[in-house]
Amino acid sequence: MSEDIEKTISELHIYEKKLLKELEANPDATPEVIAENTGMDIKSVMSAAGSLASKDIIEMQKDVEEVYSLTDAGREYAEKGLPERRILDVLAKKDHIGMKDLANETGVDKKETNIAIGWLRRKNWAQIDKGVVNITDLGKGFASKMDIDEETLDYLKANADGVKLFTDDLMNGVKKLAGRKNILNVKRETSHSFTILPKGEEILKHGFEIKEQATQLTHEHLKDGEWKSLEYRPYDINAEAPVVFAGKKHPLRVIIDEIREIFLNMGFSEDNGEYVESAFWNFDSLFQPQDHAAREMQDTFYLKNPLTCDLPDMDLVKLTAETHETGADTGSIGWQYDWSEDIARQSVLRTHTTGISTKHLFEHEPPIKMFSVGRVFRRETFDYKHLPEFHQVEGLVCGEGISYQNLLGTLKEFYKKLGFEVRFRPAYFPYTYLSTESEIYLEEKESWIELGGAGMFRPEVLKPLGINQPALAFGMGIERLAMIRYDVEDIRMLYKSDLKWLRELPIDQGVRL
């Protein structure tokens, strides 16, 4: 035990030693007294006290006292009387006054008469009947004596520097006055006191010397040889360091950057679309019929400005229309309806990023490896797993010999780099065949979770675009991935700017390559 005490003493700062010695001589010393007697400033005293308290050498007590005083308006009320008192003084002589005559009869400002009437009724000093203010028996009794709030006003007036302690009655008066606006000033004064704990008593009993100690070796110490005679204060390497909340990326941005780096390392190029897109690229280019439920107002944001968008190359438009109506030369019979250019021109906030893939296919020659990351918009109801605005990531590969096996292999590699084991199950999407959904395994929950969809683009999508080679596509929602990664149950947490949660997230969340 003695060795532990000696080690603790050796690690004490000179300010901590001074404070401890001062408390030994003067146990009731305040920080101000300690600062005066030791030559330290208040900040150094409080810092040393905090350090000693963290080592269980002393205990710090914090007391907060409220000091009450009158505002300018409060002092005016103390001089002239509260408005209800001034009205009561007149009522005591007349028994009743008409509401319309109240200001003239009593000298109370018109703005204050309504406030005064309220307090007269609250104190039961007067009642109003058919526009006439009548004094009550209780009001007659208070005509010759003060209420508790008035006594408190007089007490505060006599103690202009402020009052900390009141009798119970006067404290009730303070509460009454606090119910009014701009009468009381309330100032909170904080004081600290210290108590030496058993560990501190043991340190003092062991004894220590107060002398200057060096905390670092400087060039001057080496140059003039002073280092030979210096005493160096040891450091406690186990002492708690201050918490530093360093600047860092938002967790969603971390995942977006991670996904981008994965795609780029896999040889993909990046494409970005526009938030505002035509229904043609958002729906029609994906062989989604114009009467599909997903196009309805409850699922899609349609814009008034701009109301419509230009259509692309008319040959593409014509081939798309034929594919929708009859299947054209794709081997399909299409959707068997009359396709409308007007519907295709409608302006929408994009509901997915897949439209970027079809536009990229039309504008580029295979072979193609492209990905996109961006915001999408749907008319969703806010709840724990839905938002009307969220992020999607899309991957596209097109070229000779691309097959469903390539799709599964690409997905396995992608999810492996994200750090997940993946499996696949059959699925249906309007614009892909074969189609699959990817499920990842969560060890902590011992379950498989669906995370994204994928498939081979149908001929009805590719042929109008002039693509005669197979293409695979896959995508997922980034918020869903973030909820899994950060163990978040409510998607809204990702956008709440909860500083406690954001600060506690680790900074090092690099790409799992």
Side-chain angles (χ1 to χ4, degrees):
M1 186 66 179
S2 179
E3 289 182 4
D4 291 340
I5 290 296
E6 288 178 0
K7 180 176 181 296
T8 301
I9 291 173
S10 70
E11 292 171 350
L12 291 178
H13 190 276
I14 187 172
Y15 288 167
E16 295 173 87
K17 293 178 178 178
K18 286 183 177 181
L19 188 149
L20 197 54
K21 275 289 188 183
E22 184 64 28
L23 286 177
E24 181 184 29
N26 187 1
D28 297 325
T30 64
E32 292 75 17
V33 170
I34 294 172
E36 183 178 351
N37 292 345
T38 61
M40 295 191 289
D41 55 45
I42 287 292
K43 185 177 179 180
S44 298
V45 170
M46 295 308 297
S47 176
S51 181
L52 288 173
S54 70
K55 300 170 186 175
D56 297 324
I57 295 173
I58 68 168
E59 182 179 51
M60 293 178 61
Q61 293 87 33
K62 179 180 178 181
D63 296 311
V64 179
E65 291 185 302
E66 293 184 335
V67 182
Y68 294 88
S69 61
L70 294 176
T71 64
D72 291 341
R75 283 191 288 274
E76 185 177 347
Y77 281 140
E79 293 288 345
K80 295 166 56 177
L82 292 168
E84 66 268 23
R85 166 59 60 182
R86 289 148 62 192
I87 292 177
L88 184 66
D89 288 344
V90 178
L91 278 175
K93 298 173 183 176
K94 296 190 173 187
D95 283 345
H96 59 269
I97 306 172
M99 284 286 292
K100 59 183 177 63
D101 301 320
L102 200 60
N104 291 331
E105 293 277 352
T106 64
V108 175
D109 188 281
K110 287 183 178 181
K111 293 181 180 179
E112 290 188 314
T113 54
N114 288 335
I115 298 173
I117 289 298
W119 281 100
L120 284 167
R121 296 179 67 179
R122 191 180 303 181
K123 293 180 177 181
N124 197 23
W125 288 356
Q127 296 295 330
I128 301 173
D129 183 28
K130 298 179 180 179
V132 177
V133 182
N134 301 289
I135 192 171
T136 63
D137 290 340
L138 185 63
K140 290 176 182 177
F142 271 97
S144 58
K145 65 178 182 178
M146 289 196 297
D147 197 0
I148 189 62
D149 53 355
E150 296 173 300
E151 291 179 8
T152 305
L153 266 180
D154 275 358
Y155 185 70
L156 289 169
K157 176 187 171 185
N159 295 272
D161 292 336
V163 179
K164 294 180 181 179
L165 299 175
F166 297 89
T167 64
D168 289 343
D169 286 343
L170 287 177
M171 198 64 219
N172 289 331
V174 168
K175 291 176 181 178
K176 273 192 175 183
L177 292 175
R180 301 173 185 254
K181 291 182 179 179
N182 196 30
I183 288 184
L184 294 179
N185 280 324
V186 183
K187 182 181 178 182
R188 289 172 174 80
E189 291 186 353
T190 303
S191 61
H192 292 85
S193 57
F194 311 115
T195 303
I196 300 175
L197 296 177
K199 186 176 180 180
E201 297 284 1
E202 191 172 353
I203 290 172
L204 289 169
K205 183 179 179 181
H206 185 281
F208 53 82
E209 185 179 358
I210 297 177
K211 62 180 180 180
E212 293 291 338
Q213 292 177 308
T215 58
Q216 62 181 345
L217 186 63
T218 67
H219 176 72
E220 286 73 18
H221 293 157
L222 295 172
K223 186 177 180 180
D224 58 22
E226 188 181 355
W227 64 272
K228 297 176 183 178
S229 59
L230 285 175
E231 180 176 331
Y232 297 95
R233 184 167 69 90
Y235 290 95
D236 181 3
I237 60 172
N238 296 313
E240 292 186 8
V243 179
V244 177
F245 298 112
K248 58 185 176 183
K249 294 179 182 178
H250 189 276
L252 272 180
R253 172 50 57 187
V254 170
I255 290 182
I256 289 172
D257 289 347
E258 179 177 342
I259 289 171
R260 289 185 69 252
E261 189 165 347
I262 288 172
F263 272 118
L264 293 171
N265 287 335
M266 290 176 67
F268 284 73
S269 61
E270 186 173 9
D271 196 356
N272 296 292
E274 303 293 336
Y275 290 161
V276 177
E277 193 55 271
S278 67
F280 178 88
W281 285 117
N282 198 75
F283 297 119
D284 294 274
S285 68
L286 291 164
F287 194 53
Q288 195 168 84
Q290 293 183 333
D291 60 356
H292 194 283
R295 295 201 188 205
E296 295 179 6
M297 288 294 290
Q298 63 263 33
D299 292 319
T300 305
F301 289 107
Y302 287 90
L303 304 183
K304 290 184 179 179
N305 184 23
L307 186 62
T308 62
C309 293
D310 293 334
L311 292 178
D313 181 89
M314 290 312 295
D315 289 338
L316 169 60
V317 173
K318 183 179 178 181
L319 284 170
T320 302
E322 290 178 3
T323 304
H324 275 246
E325 292 175 352
T326 66
D329 62 348
T330 63
S332 164
I333 63 170
W335 297 112
Q336 299 293 303
Y337 73 100
D338 292 330
W339 188 84
S340 169
E341 280 193 19
D342 291 337
I343 293 176
R345 292 179 188 274
Q346 290 175 321
S347 296
V348 301
L349 287 178
R350 66 186 185 195
T351 60
H352 49 208
T353 53
T354 315
I356 299 174
S357 297
T358 52
K359 185 181 284 190
H360 192 92
L361 284 168
F362 178 67
E363 295 174 346
H364 297 79
E365 291 287 335
I368 295 170
K369 289 181 73 174
M370 183 278 298
F371 78 96
S372 61
V373 183
R375 294 191 184 192
V376 297
F377 309 87
R378 295 179 190 172
R379 290 175 62 87
E380 298 277 10
T381 301
F382 279 95
D383 62 28
Y384 74 100
K385 61 179 180 179
H386 295 100
L387 292 174
E389 179 181 336
F390 53 99
H391 293 80
Q392 273 191 344
V393 57
E394 194 89 12
L396 166 70
V397 181
C398 177
E400 288 288 350
I402 294 297
S403 67
Y404 188 68
Q405 284 184 317
N406 295 125
L407 171 64
L408 299 184
T410 302
L411 287 171
K412 280 187 177 181
E413 183 66 16
F414 176 74
Y415 283 110
K416 178 183 176 183
K417 289 180 180 293
L418 279 174
F420 297 117
E421 178 186 352
V422 65
R423 74 179 184 184
F424 309 104
R425 60 183 173 87
Y428 168 78
F429 301 108
Y431 38 85
T432 59
Y433 182 85
L434 298 164
S435 302
T436 186
E437 285 184 340
S438 305
E439 295 182 333
I440 61 168
Y441 185 71
L442 300 182
E443 290 186 5
E444 62 274 17
K445 296 185 178 181
E446 296 184 346
S447 62
W448 292 87
I449 303 293
E450 186 271 318
L451 192 56
M456 305 297 296
F457 272 134
R458 296 170 62 105
E460 295 93 331
V461 174
L462 296 175
K463 287 206 170 185
L465 299 171
I467 301 297
N468 297 310
Q469 300 176 20
L472 63 85
F474 61 96
M476 67 177 177
I478 292 177
E479 278 78 0
R480 185 167 178 78
L481 174 60
M483 291 173 72
I484 293 170
R485 175 71 62 79
Y486 302 117
D487 194 24
V488 173
E489 297 293 334
D490 191 326
I491 192 173
R492 291 167 292 193
M493 173 63 83
L494 300 173
Y495 292 93
K496 281 176 64 176
S497 297
D498 185 321
L499 288 180
K500 182 177 183 297
W501 178 68
L502 291 170
R503 283 172 171 173
E504 289 176 351
L505 286 176
I507 295 177
D508 184 18
Q509 299 172 53
V511 181
R512 298 184 175 99
L513 298 177

Short mmCIF file of all heavy atoms in Angstrom, two decimals, residues 485-509:
data_model
loop_
_atom_site.label_atom_id
_atom_site.label_comp_id
_atom_site.label_asym_id
_atom_site.label_seq_id
_atom_site.Cartn_x
_atom_site.Cartn_y
_atom_site.Cartn_z
N ARG A 485 -25.44 -2.46 -40.80
CA ARG A 485 -24.06 -2.19 -40.40
C ARG A 485 -23.99 -1.53 -39.02
O ARG A 485 -23.13 -1.87 -38.20
CB ARG A 485 -23.41 -1.29 -41.46
CG ARG A 485 -22.00 -0.81 -41.13
CD ARG A 485 -20.97 -1.93 -41.22
NE ARG A 485 -20.87 -2.49 -42.57
CZ ARG A 485 -20.19 -1.92 -43.57
NH1 ARG A 485 -19.55 -0.77 -43.36
NH2 ARG A 485 -20.13 -2.50 -44.75
N TYR A 486 -24.89 -0.57 -38.75
CA TYR A 486 -24.81 0.20 -37.51
C TYR A 486 -25.83 -0.25 -36.47
O TYR A 486 -26.02 0.42 -35.46
CB TYR A 486 -25.00 1.69 -37.82
CG TYR A 486 -23.98 2.22 -38.80
CD1 TYR A 486 -24.39 2.71 -40.04
CD2 TYR A 486 -22.63 2.22 -38.49
CE1 TYR A 486 -23.45 3.19 -40.95
CE2 TYR A 486 -21.70 2.70 -39.39
CZ TYR A 486 -22.11 3.18 -40.62
OH TYR A 486 -21.19 3.65 -41.52
N ASP A 487 -26.49 -1.40 -36.73
CA ASP A 487 -27.45 -1.97 -35.79
C ASP A 487 -28.52 -0.93 -35.41
O ASP A 487 -28.77 -0.66 -34.22
CB ASP A 487 -26.74 -2.47 -34.53
CG ASP A 487 -27.64 -3.36 -33.68
OD1 ASP A 487 -28.58 -3.95 -34.25
OD2 ASP A 487 -27.41 -3.47 -32.47
N VAL A 488 -29.14 -0.35 -36.43
CA VAL A 488 -30.19 0.66 -36.24
C VAL A 488 -31.53 0.02 -36.57
O VAL A 488 -31.69 -0.59 -37.63
CB VAL A 488 -29.94 1.88 -37.16
CG1 VAL A 488 -31.12 2.84 -37.11
CG2 VAL A 488 -28.66 2.59 -36.74
N GLU A 489 -32.50 0.17 -35.67
CA GLU A 489 -33.82 -0.42 -35.89
C GLU A 489 -34.77 0.53 -36.62
O GLU A 489 -35.73 0.10 -37.23
CB GLU A 489 -34.46 -0.80 -34.54
CG GLU A 489 -33.68 -1.87 -33.76
CD GLU A 489 -33.72 -3.22 -34.45
OE1 GLU A 489 -34.68 -3.46 -35.21
OE2 GLU A 489 -32.78 -4.01 -34.25
N ASP A 490 -34.49 1.84 -36.53
CA ASP A 490 -35.38 2.84 -37.13
C ASP A 490 -34.59 3.63 -38.17
O ASP A 490 -33.60 4.28 -37.86
CB ASP A 490 -35.90 3.80 -36.03
CG ASP A 490 -37.03 4.69 -36.52
OD1 ASP A 490 -37.02 5.09 -37.70
OD2 ASP A 490 -37.92 5.01 -35.71
N ILE A 491 -35.05 3.58 -39.43
CA ILE A 491 -34.32 4.23 -40.53
C ILE A 491 -34.20 5.73 -40.31
O ILE A 491 -33.25 6.38 -40.78
CB ILE A 491 -35.02 3.93 -41.88
CG1 ILE A 491 -34.13 4.34 -43.05
CG2 ILE A 491 -36.38 4.62 -41.96
CD1 ILE A 491 -34.68 3.91 -44.40
N ARG A 492 -35.13 6.31 -39.56
CA ARG A 492 -35.10 7.77 -39.34
C ARG A 492 -33.89 8.20 -38.52
O ARG A 492 -33.49 9.37 -38.57
CB ARG A 492 -36.40 8.20 -38.66
CG ARG A 492 -37.62 8.08 -39.56
CD ARG A 492 -38.93 8.21 -38.81
NE ARG A 492 -39.15 7.08 -37.92
CZ ARG A 492 -40.32 6.82 -37.34
NH1 ARG A 492 -41.36 7.60 -37.56
NH2 ARG A 492 -40.45 5.78 -36.53
N MET A 493 -33.30 7.25 -37.77
CA MET A 493 -32.11 7.57 -36.99
C MET A 493 -30.97 8.06 -37.88
O MET A 493 -30.15 8.90 -37.47
CB MET A 493 -31.66 6.34 -36.19
CG MET A 493 -30.34 6.49 -35.46
SD MET A 493 -30.38 7.79 -34.19
CE MET A 493 -31.10 6.85 -32.84
N LEU A 494 -30.93 7.56 -39.12
CA LEU A 494 -29.84 7.93 -40.04
C LEU A 494 -29.90 9.40 -40.44
O LEU A 494 -28.93 9.96 -40.94
CB LEU A 494 -29.90 7.06 -41.29
CG LEU A 494 -29.76 5.55 -41.07
CD1 LEU A 494 -30.01 4.80 -42.37
CD2 LEU A 494 -28.39 5.22 -40.51
N TYR A 495 -31.06 10.05 -40.22
CA TYR A 495 -31.22 11.45 -40.63
C TYR A 495 -31.56 12.37 -39.48
O TYR A 495 -31.84 13.55 -39.69
CB TYR A 495 -32.32 11.54 -41.69
CG TYR A 495 -31.95 10.89 -43.01
CD1 TYR A 495 -32.29 9.57 -43.27
CD2 TYR A 495 -31.23 11.59 -43.96
CE1 TYR A 495 -31.93 8.96 -44.47
CE2 TYR A 495 -30.87 11.00 -45.17
CZ TYR A 495 -31.22 9.68 -45.41
OH TYR A 495 -30.87 9.09 -46.60
N LYS A 496 -31.51 11.88 -38.24
CA LYS A 496 -31.92 12.69 -37.10
C LYS A 496 -30.84 13.61 -36.57
O LYS A 496 -31.11 14.46 -35.74
CB LYS A 496 -32.39 11.77 -35.96
CG LYS A 496 -33.79 11.23 -36.13
CD LYS A 496 -34.15 10.26 -35.01
CE LYS A 496 -34.16 10.94 -33.67
NZ LYS A 496 -34.62 10.01 -32.60
N SER A 497 -29.61 13.45 -37.01
CA SER A 497 -28.48 14.23 -36.48
C SER A 497 -28.39 14.09 -34.96
O SER A 497 -28.22 15.08 -34.24
CB SER A 497 -28.61 15.71 -36.88
OG SER A 497 -28.55 15.86 -38.27
N ASP A 498 -28.52 12.86 -34.50
CA ASP A 498 -28.36 12.57 -33.08
C ASP A 498 -26.87 12.62 -32.75
O ASP A 498 -26.11 11.70 -33.06
CB ASP A 498 -28.94 11.18 -32.78
CG ASP A 498 -28.92 10.84 -31.30
OD1 ASP A 498 -27.93 11.19 -30.63
OD2 ASP A 498 -29.88 10.22 -30.82
N LEU A 499 -26.43 13.71 -32.11
CA LEU A 499 -24.99 13.92 -31.89
C LEU A 499 -24.38 12.83 -31.03
O LEU A 499 -23.24 12.42 -31.26
CB LEU A 499 -24.76 15.30 -31.25
CG LEU A 499 -24.99 16.50 -32.17
CD1 LEU A 499 -24.72 17.79 -31.42
CD2 LEU A 499 -24.09 16.43 -33.40
N LYS A 500 -25.12 12.35 -30.02
CA LYS A 500 -24.58 11.30 -29.16
C LYS A 500 -24.28 10.05 -29.99
O LYS A 500 -23.21 9.46 -29.88
CB LYS A 500 -25.56 10.98 -28.04
CG LYS A 500 -25.06 9.92 -27.06
CD LYS A 500 -26.08 9.70 -25.93
CE LYS A 500 -25.57 8.70 -24.90
NZ LYS A 500 -25.37 7.36 -25.47
N TRP A 501 -25.24 9.65 -30.82
CA TRP A 501 -25.06 8.46 -31.65
C TRP A 501 -23.93 8.66 -32.66
O TRP A 501 -23.07 7.80 -32.84
CB TRP A 501 -26.37 8.13 -32.36
CG TRP A 501 -26.28 6.96 -33.28
CD1 TRP A 501 -26.10 5.65 -32.93
CD2 TRP A 501 -26.35 6.97 -34.71
NE1 TRP A 501 -26.07 4.85 -34.04
CE2 TRP A 501 -26.22 5.63 -35.15
CE3 TRP A 501 -26.52 7.97 -35.66
CZ2 TRP A 501 -26.25 5.28 -36.49
CZ3 TRP A 501 -26.57 7.63 -37.00
CH2 TRP A 501 -26.42 6.30 -37.40
N LEU A 502 -23.92 9.81 -33.30
CA LEU A 502 -22.88 10.08 -34.31
C LEU A 502 -21.50 10.11 -33.69
O LEU A 502 -20.53 9.62 -34.28
CB LEU A 502 -23.18 11.41 -35.01
CG LEU A 502 -24.42 11.44 -35.91
CD1 LEU A 502 -24.74 12.86 -36.35
CD2 LEU A 502 -24.22 10.55 -37.12
N ARG A 503 -21.38 10.68 -32.49
CA ARG A 503 -20.08 10.76 -31.84
C ARG A 503 -19.56 9.38 -31.44
O ARG A 503 -18.36 9.11 -31.46
CB ARG A 503 -20.17 11.65 -30.60
CG ARG A 503 -20.19 13.14 -30.94
CD ARG A 503 -20.49 13.96 -29.70
NE ARG A 503 -20.32 15.38 -29.95
CZ ARG A 503 -20.65 16.33 -29.09
NH1 ARG A 503 -21.17 16.01 -27.93
NH2 ARG A 503 -20.44 17.60 -29.39
N GLU A 504 -20.48 8.50 -31.05
CA GLU A 504 -20.06 7.18 -30.56
C GLU A 504 -19.71 6.22 -31.68
O GLU A 504 -19.08 5.19 -31.43
CB GLU A 504 -21.18 6.58 -29.69
CG GLU A 504 -21.34 7.30 -28.35
CD GLU A 504 -22.51 6.77 -27.54
OE1 GLU A 504 -23.30 5.95 -28.10
OE2 GLU A 504 -22.66 7.18 -26.39
N LEU A 505 -20.10 6.52 -32.92
CA LEU A 505 -19.74 5.64 -34.03
C LEU A 505 -18.23 5.70 -34.26
O LEU A 505 -17.63 6.77 -34.25
CB LEU A 505 -20.46 6.06 -35.31
CG LEU A 505 -21.94 5.73 -35.40
CD1 LEU A 505 -22.52 6.31 -36.68
CD2 LEU A 505 -22.17 4.23 -35.36
N PRO A 506 -17.59 4.56 -34.44
CA PRO A 506 -16.13 4.58 -34.67
C PRO A 506 -15.77 5.28 -35.95
O PRO A 506 -16.52 5.25 -36.93
CB PRO A 506 -15.76 3.09 -34.71
CG PRO A 506 -17.03 2.39 -35.07
CD PRO A 506 -18.13 3.20 -34.47
N ILE A 507 -14.59 5.93 -35.95
CA ILE A 507 -14.12 6.65 -37.13
C ILE A 507 -13.64 5.68 -38.19
O ILE A 507 -13.91 5.83 -39.37
CB ILE A 507 -12.99 7.63 -36.75
CG1 ILE A 507 -13.54 8.73 -35.84
CG2 ILE A 507 -12.37 8.24 -38.01
CD1 ILE A 507 -12.47 9.69 -35.35
N ASP A 508 -12.91 4.63 -37.77
CA ASP A 508 -12.29 3.72 -38.73
C ASP A 508 -13.31 2.71 -39.23
O ASP A 508 -13.60 1.72 -38.59
CB ASP A 508 -11.11 2.98 -38.06
CG ASP A 508 -10.38 2.09 -39.05
OD1 ASP A 508 -10.54 2.27 -40.27
OD2 ASP A 508 -9.66 1.20 -38.58
N GLN A 509 -13.88 3.02 -40.37
CA GLN A 509 -14.85 2.12 -40.99
C GLN A 509 -14.48 2.00 -42.47
O GLN A 509 -15.22 2.42 -43.35
CB GLN A 509 -16.26 2.65 -40.83
CG GLN A 509 -16.68 2.78 -39.37
CD GLN A 509 -18.00 3.49 -39.22
OE1 GLN A 509 -18.98 3.12 -39.82
NE2 GLN A 509 -18.01 4.54 -38.43
#
